[in-house]
Amino acid sequence: MGILHLIKSIVSYCFVKVHLEILRPLIILSPMELGSIMHFLQDKTILVTGATGFLAKIFVEKILRVQPNVKKLYLLLRARDTESATQRLHTEIIGKDLFRLLKEKLGTRFNSFVSEKLAVVPGDISQEDLNLEDPILGEEIFNQTDVIVNLAATTNFDERYDIALSINTLGVLHVLSFAKKCVKLKVLIHVSTAYVCGEREGLILEAPHHFGVSLNGVPGPDIDMEKKKVEDKLNQLREEGAIEHDIELAMKDLGTQRATMYGWPNTYVFTKAMGEMLVGTTKGNMNVVIVRPTMVTSTYKEPFPGWIEGLRTIDSIVVAYGKGKLVCFLANLEAVFDVIPADMVVNAMLVAMVAHANQPSDIIYHVGSSVVNPVMYLNLRDYSVRYFTEKPWINRDGKPVKVGKFTILRNMDSFRKYMYIRYLLPLKGLELVNAASCQYFQKMYLDFNRKIRTVLRLVELYKPYLFFNGVACFAHRFDNTNTEKLLSSARQGGVETELFYFDTKMIDWEDYFINIHFPGIIKYAFK
């Protein structure tokens, strides 16, 4: 059902009618002292949370490949014990094709090198002290860690509220508390998302969120209240004897309700925003840098072009189209969508790490493309049509899939009409036939009804991204003044900019999508 793939991922953005040169001078940045990234990484010890995640793997591979003299990378993995964590390391991290170049470079020394440089840490950021059960290992990390990179998160828009709150919000609190015990810590990099901006219009500045301040005029969230809401709801459901499926749905609904009440469109960005708020209220004198990437796509250059893991954001649309299942597309084709290759995000993180190590900072970096090198949905459509026309996907039967035109839906009215004619009318007809045949088609009817209700639920969940003020666009772009300043300082300060590149102006989007990203999706994500 192509519409289901579409609704899950599509996010459209409109051009911002704001004169950037007027706003940018209002942001005052202190000078940054930079130097060689390679020199900084030498003999450093880094703790990485969320180590099995997409960006985390690229981060780990980059350091091991370019600076083998790094001292140690502690990888926090959700696991029962060291044995389970080690198994996850081999199957979910170094076993990936991402590490192919490093394996080729080291040959038979690869396993010994990995054993020397990577240390798995069974733990869980949703628990206090990261749930470390080995006190000796804990003391070792406290005494040795120079940098912490917090990449742990659940990125599901429709996540259970209890889970999202425990990882994306309270997890930040636990990481900060842990970091305060690290005696050598120079900087903590907290990776968030640009979409913590919620539904605000205009130019989104690299500015913090605060507790007590919402996005829609009501009093802002209070972390203790949100925890109590979750606890009360869970207790109520258990007292009523609710089954696990019903508890899951209730927790998802609660997250959506709390998010929309405060002005955020979904549980994911709401809990990530609260995580950022906790950084502001609890970091104290700690040196913390917040990095907010936009939609992260496959690697641009390193370790090789096009590596990706799973379907990410717009990729669901591309896959649905390539498989001949995309029957409609919800977007303003003139709208900008903000994408950034994963290796550029990692490079920006590494440069920010060096720029702010041992230098007090309270800074946020947007890492994206919508301001300096925008790409539109019109481009994405044209690139997709061209690519899959010239290089059709070969299905399991060994036959090429022919792609064609698809319906463009520009607003909610056109979507409702489309759904009514294509799905709801046939569903009503099936309901009548089922009743007349003494429920002979009951299974078919229930299955069809379930799929349609799922689509309608997802539309409500993603509607703020799909349609803003009735049109298919989201009226904002992400200012990157701080990131441009970081880039300028890197060029002037001895950073190996050819190796740690993150200037999106260098991207030719047509070449990237047709020759890098789409082939990468087909190789790693088409199933």
Side-chain angles (χ1 to χ4, degrees), residues 41-57:
L41 291 173
Q42 185 170 339
D43 296 323
K44 293 297 189 299
T45 297
I46 302 172
L47 170 64
V48 182
T49 71
T52 58
F54 178 55
L55 281 177
K57 282 194 274 280

Side-chain angles (χ1 to χ4, degrees), residues 32-289:
M32 288 175 283
E33 293 184 7
L34 276 161
S36 168
I37 308 293
M38 301 286 282
H39 178 73
F40 176 85
L41 291 173
Q42 185 170 339
D43 296 323
K44 293 297 189 299
T45 297
I46 302 172
L47 170 64
V48 182
T49 71
T52 58
F54 178 55
L55 281 177
K57 282 194 274 280
I58 297 173
F59 179 85
V60 170
E61 191 278 340
K62 174 83 175 192
I63 292 177
L64 293 180
R65 178 166 45 82
V66 303
Q67 182 46 284
N69 292 320
V70 67
K71 184 176 180 180
K72 183 80 70 176
L73 294 176
Y74 289 111
L75 306 183
L76 186 75
L77 300 172
R78 210 174 203 178
R80 297 186 308 274
D81 49 37
T82 302
E83 182 180 352
S84 300
T86 301
Q87 183 176 359
R88 291 196 70 188
L89 168 68
H90 287 277
T91 58
E92 299 179 44
I93 302 178
I94 62 175
K96 297 294 183 178
D97 192 44
L98 174 70
F99 286 80
R100 170 169 32 101
L101 291 188
L102 187 61
K103 289 178 181 177
E104 292 173 357
K105 177 182 176 181
L106 295 175
T108 57
R109 294 189 296 113
F110 178 77
N111 288 334
S112 60
F113 175 75
V114 165
S115 298
E116 177 188 353
K117 299 298 179 179
L118 300 183
V120 295
V121 181
D124 185 350
I125 72 162
S126 68
Q127 305 296 319
E128 292 185 5
D129 294 322
L130 309 187
N131 204 34
L132 297 190
E133 296 184 355
D134 185 344
I136 297 176
L137 178 60
E139 282 300 313
E140 180 182 309
I141 297 173
F142 292 148
N143 293 328
Q144 298 296 323
T145 300
D146 299 289
V147 177
I148 294 177
V149 179
N150 183 31
L151 280 154
T154 173
T155 59
N156 183 0
F157 279 16
D158 197 22
E159 182 63 89
R160 291 176 52 144
Y161 192 37
D162 53 338
I163 293 175
L165 190 70
S166 67
I167 297 174
N168 295 345
T169 304
L170 298 176
V172 178
L173 180 64
H174 299 147
V175 171
L176 288 168
S177 298
F178 187 89
K180 290 177 181 178
K181 300 176 184 177
C182 296
V183 295
K184 292 175 57 181
L185 189 69
K186 297 172 176 58
V187 63
L188 187 154
I189 305 294
H190 173 66
V191 180
S192 183
T193 170
Y195 303 102
V196 292
C197 64
E199 300 175 40
R200 290 183 297 179
E201 295 183 67
L203 184 69
I204 308 302
L205 301 180
E206 294 158 305
H209 293 288
H210 302 284
F211 282 116
V213 179
S214 71
L215 301 182
N216 60 3
V218 304
D222 174 271
I223 189 64
D224 291 329
M225 180 185 296
E226 297 309 307
K227 287 165 61 179
K228 190 173 189 307
K229 285 285 183 184
V230 167
E231 292 166 1
D232 289 348
K233 187 64 176 179
L234 285 173
N235 289 335
Q236 175 193 336
L237 291 166
R238 287 162 184 157
E239 288 173 3
E240 294 172 353
I243 62 175
E244 187 58 32
H245 176 70
D246 292 338
I247 293 175
E248 180 178 349
L249 289 180
M251 283 293 104
K252 288 184 175 183
D253 287 340
L254 179 62
T256 302
Q257 291 165 10
R258 301 303 291 175
T260 54
M261 184 179 79
Y262 292 119
W264 278 270
N266 57 61
T267 305
Y268 167 59
V269 293
F270 177 49
T271 52
K272 288 294 286 186
M274 286 194 290
E276 283 197 19
M277 294 174 195
L278 281 173
V279 171
T281 58
T282 62
K283 77 181 188 71
N285 295 325
M286 194 189 310
N287 202 6
V288 180
V289 174

